[in-house]
Amino acid sequence: MYKKLLLFLILLTGVLIGCQTDDESIELDYEGIGTNWRVDLEYEEEQLNNGEYEFEFNLVITYNDQLGESIVADQMGYRLELGDVAVFENMEVYDETIDVSALYVDGEGLSEHSLTNDAQVLIVINWDDQEESFPLNLVRTDDD
C-alpha cells in the first residue's frame, strides 16, 4: 500500500514539475498627467518559449484627474504607443453628445520585442477638435 502511494506521489510530483514553465514575466506600471487628462497604464508581459512576447494592458484615461468631473463630447479617442512593442488606437463617434469622465481600455497582443524600462510610452488623447499628448513615466516594475 505504501509503495503504491509513494509511486503515485512521485508521479504526481513529476507531472506538476513538468507543467511548470520557465517563462519570464514582468509587470510595469506607468502614469502621466497632462493639462486635461491623467493616464494610468498597467502592463504585463510574458516571454513565450518561441521567443515572442505575449502582453496584456489595462489603460485608464481620466478627465482632469477627477472621476466626478466630465466633459461633453461628440467623439473621443486615444492612441497608445508602447515603444517598439505595439500601437493601439481607437476613435469613437457618438450618436449623441455625451458626458465623458473616463475611458477604460483592456488590450492584449503578441510582439517580437519586449517593453524595456527605458522604452518611450506615449499617449495621444482626442476629443471633438482637441488633442493632448504626453509621455507616460514608469512608476513601478515587478519581475517574476
Side-chain angles (χ1 to χ4, degrees), residues 35-50:
T35 304
N36 297 292
W37 300 94
R38 173 190 173 93
V39 174
D40 294 292
L41 172 67
E42 294 177 357
Y43 177 90
E44 186 173 348
E45 170 184 287
E46 183 175 324
Q47 185 174 16
L48 304 176
N49 290 332
N50 65 3

Side-chain angles (χ1 to χ4, degrees), residues 64-78:
N64 203 23
D65 199 20
Q66 300 293 323
L67 280 177
E69 295 185 25
S70 63
I71 60 163
V72 177
D74 293 318
Q75 63 184 27
M76 185 79 197
Y78 69 92

Side-chain angles (χ1 to χ4, degrees), residues 68-128:
E69 295 185 25
S70 63
I71 60 163
V72 177
D74 293 318
Q75 63 184 27
M76 185 79 197
Y78 69 92
R79 177 181 171 94
L80 175 64
E81 299 176 9
L82 297 170
D84 293 336
V85 172
V87 174
F88 289 87
E89 60 186 322
N90 187 37
M91 177 63 76
E92 296 280 333
V93 178
Y94 307 117
D95 293 336
E96 307 176 353
T97 302
I98 65 168
D99 288 336
V100 178
S101 62
L103 292 178
Y104 300 92
V105 180
D106 294 328
E108 60 185 31
L110 287 173
S111 176
E112 295 178 2
H113 305 283
S114 175
L115 188 62
T116 60
N117 290 351
D118 60 348
Q120 294 286 329
V121 178
L122 179 70
I123 188 78
V124 180
I125 304 165
N126 298 290
W127 68 104
D128 292 336

Side-chain angles (χ1 to χ4, degrees), residues 20-39:
Q20 291 180 344
T21 63
D22 292 333
D23 296 341
E24 293 182 27
S25 66
I26 60 168
E27 292 180 23
L28 304 171
D29 290 343
Y30 291 85
E31 67 180 25
I33 300 174
T35 304
N36 297 292
W37 300 94
R38 173 190 173 93
V39 174

